[in-house]
Amino acid sequence: LVMMSFAARGIADVRPRENCLTFWAWKAKGRSVRRGEHGVPVTTWIPVTREDKDTGEKIDTGARPRTAYIFHESQTEPSRAPLRVVE
């Protein structure tokens, strides 16, 4: 489905996690998403855990869906200002 969404935009070379990343992932790599570009929505699953009150152990209780928007490398350009990491 993601490939079809990019194909509709004329983008053929789609390699998730290599050249298709989220807005903030591109920022971390020193690139900016161009103004006016639209991302492709994808569903990712976020693990949900809870802490056992008696033992303090973290228990996996499943996962919940989260929508993220990814952009192809051709929708980005080198960033003018590097991303500042706040510690």
Side-chain angles (χ1 to χ4, degrees):
L1 186 62
V2 172
M3 293 176 135
M4 290 182 351
S5 296
F6 279 120
R9 297 171 188 196
I11 300 171
D13 180 31
V14 177
R15 294 185 315 271
R17 297 188 189 144
E18 288 181 35
N19 67 357
C20 295
L21 302 172
T22 64
F23 177 86
W24 289 107
W26 282 122
K27 282 286 198 190
K29 287 185 167 269
R31 297 188 69 84
S32 297
V33 175
R34 284 194 297 268
R35 183 177 294 268
E37 293 288 352
H38 295 275
V40 172
V42 295
T43 301
T44 184
W45 293 89
I46 308 297
V48 178
T49 59
R50 68 174 177 84
E51 189 173 317
D52 187 310
K53 292 180 182 176
D54 298 330
T55 64
E57 182 181 341
K58 293 197 183 237
I59 300 169
D60 184 21
T61 59
R64 65 180 178 83
R66 173 81 187 235
T67 299
Y69 293 86
I70 60 173
F71 299 87
H72 187 266
E73 187 173 16
S74 66
Q75 296 175 290
T76 67
E77 57 192 18
S79 182
R80 291 185 214 125
L83 179 66
R84 264 187 350 160
V85 177
V86 180
E87 295 181 17

